[in-house]
Amino acid sequence: MLSSAWHGGPAVELFSAAGSKGSAVPHKASPQIKKVFDKSSKGYVLELEGGREVKVSFPASDKDSLGLLQRYLVLQVLVPAGRGFSVELCVTDRTKTRRRINLSSNNKDLTVTPLHVRVPLDLVRRGVWVNLCIDVVNLFMESFRPVTGVGEFWCVDWLVVSASCKIRRIFTLLKCLRDCEAEQEEYGGLEQEEDVDDVPRSLDFPSGVEAINQVIQMQKIKWWLSAAAREGGAFLSPK
């Protein structure tokens, strides 16, 4: 798949809803998924409406591997208020062991086994376009190293996105995005590393489109769970 792509550059594109080709790799989509023109993003998007069974998978067969080597996976998504949303990754480490990272608004607790981690995803902003920047290496190491003493991350093999959401683009980045929530008290005041960057111009939203950057890392997830516990177990609902 993309293992032969140049991963030393700033980004590697996996999917774009624009144009006739649409995807750098073959993908499989549920029949309910539509490609529609979205006024808010000034372009075409994939529209995923329904339950968890409505999903798009990259690549089309889980026997193949995307071979994504860059640390940060970015999904340009809009998640409707009050709706579920899930992202699942299959990641291989340097021992060639495959492990799954399931991020979902249906997960209410952080649960880790030697081969699988379930991560709550209620903190994703709703009703606005988001450059959702998933720090795959951070989630992988913070989840599995304490349980298994596992070695280093190698690559992302496959990706599944489940309803409900709109998807504009999916790509990986060499550097982390500037997090709009960094150092905000309502998000724990977590500091961000200095080596951050903006979305490359060729992959960014058109001028005039309102969009934010949101970085997903384990320390933010744990802060979110702690904040929810202080609120009596009720998960906070981002605007």
Side-chain angles (χ1 to χ4, degrees):
M1 293 294 171
L2 294 174
S3 58
S4 60
W6 170 240
H7 291 270
V12 175
E13 187 174 30
L14 170 63
F15 169 79
S16 171
S20 56
K21 293 184 178 180
S23 178
V25 298
H27 64 279
K28 180 172 65 176
S30 301
Q32 302 96 318
I33 295 177
K34 301 176 183 178
K35 181 178 178 180
V36 299
F37 185 83
D38 178 73
K39 291 183 179 180
S40 66
S41 64
K42 301 182 181 181
Y44 284 94
V45 300
L46 282 190
E47 187 174 62
L48 286 68
E49 291 188 349
R52 284 178 288 178
E53 72 280 359
V54 179
K55 57 189 178 182
V56 57
S57 306
F58 303 88
S61 171
D62 59 9
K63 295 181 180 179
D64 296 322
S65 173
L66 293 172
L68 297 173
L69 302 178
Q70 292 183 328
R71 173 170 182 161
Y72 302 99
L73 175 68
V74 179
L75 296 87
Q76 293 181 335
V77 293
L78 189 151
V79 182
R83 304 295 295 274
F85 171 62
S86 301
V87 178
E88 185 165 49
L89 309 172
C90 179
V91 180
T92 293
D93 64 26
R94 289 187 180 273
T95 68
K96 298 184 179 180
T97 301
R98 283 188 168 186
R99 306 175 197 274
R100 294 190 183 191
I101 301 174
N102 177 270
L103 304 104
S104 175
S105 57
N106 296 305
N107 298 332
K108 300 308 177 185
D109 294 296
L110 181 64
T111 307
V112 184
T113 72
L115 296 176
H116 192 206
V117 58
R118 297 182 184 275
V119 180
L121 202 57
D122 270 328
L123 77 169
V124 172
R125 295 287 190 98
R126 261 58 171 186
V128 64
W129 280 101
V130 179
N131 290 304
L132 187 64
C133 182
I134 301 173
D135 188 340
V136 180
V137 173
N138 173 269
L139 293 180
F140 179 83
M141 300 302 291
E142 293 294 324
S143 298
F144 297 116
R145 174 167 281 181
V147 177
T148 66
V150 68
E152 296 181 10
F153 160 88
W154 177 245
C155 71
V156 174
D157 290 305
W158 50 257
L159 160 70
V160 180
V161 183
S162 302
S164 295
C165 68
K166 295 178 180 179
I167 307 173
R168 179 180 181 267
R169 261 196 172 101
I170 303 174
F171 50 92
T172 63
L173 290 175
L174 194 63
K175 294 183 178 181
C176 188
L177 290 181
R178 302 179 195 277
D179 191 352
C180 73
E181 297 168 347
E183 300 183 11
Q184 291 185 20
E185 185 176 350
E186 62 178 308
Y187 289 95
L190 300 173
E191 296 184 1
Q192 192 172 21
E193 296 180 3
E194 294 183 1
D195 193 19
V196 296
D197 208 345
D198 298 315
V199 176
R201 185 174 300 178
S202 62
L203 302 174
D204 205 358
F205 288 90
S207 176
V209 174
E210 181 184 357
I212 64 170
N213 298 340
Q214 189 174 23
V215 178
I216 303 298
Q217 295 175 316
M218 188 57 75
Q219 53 267 43
K220 186 185 286 189
I221 295 291
K222 289 182 177 179
W223 174 87
W224 188 264
L225 289 170
S226 296
R230 291 194 297 272
E231 295 293 324
F235 275 70
L236 307 175
S237 298
K239 298 178 180 179

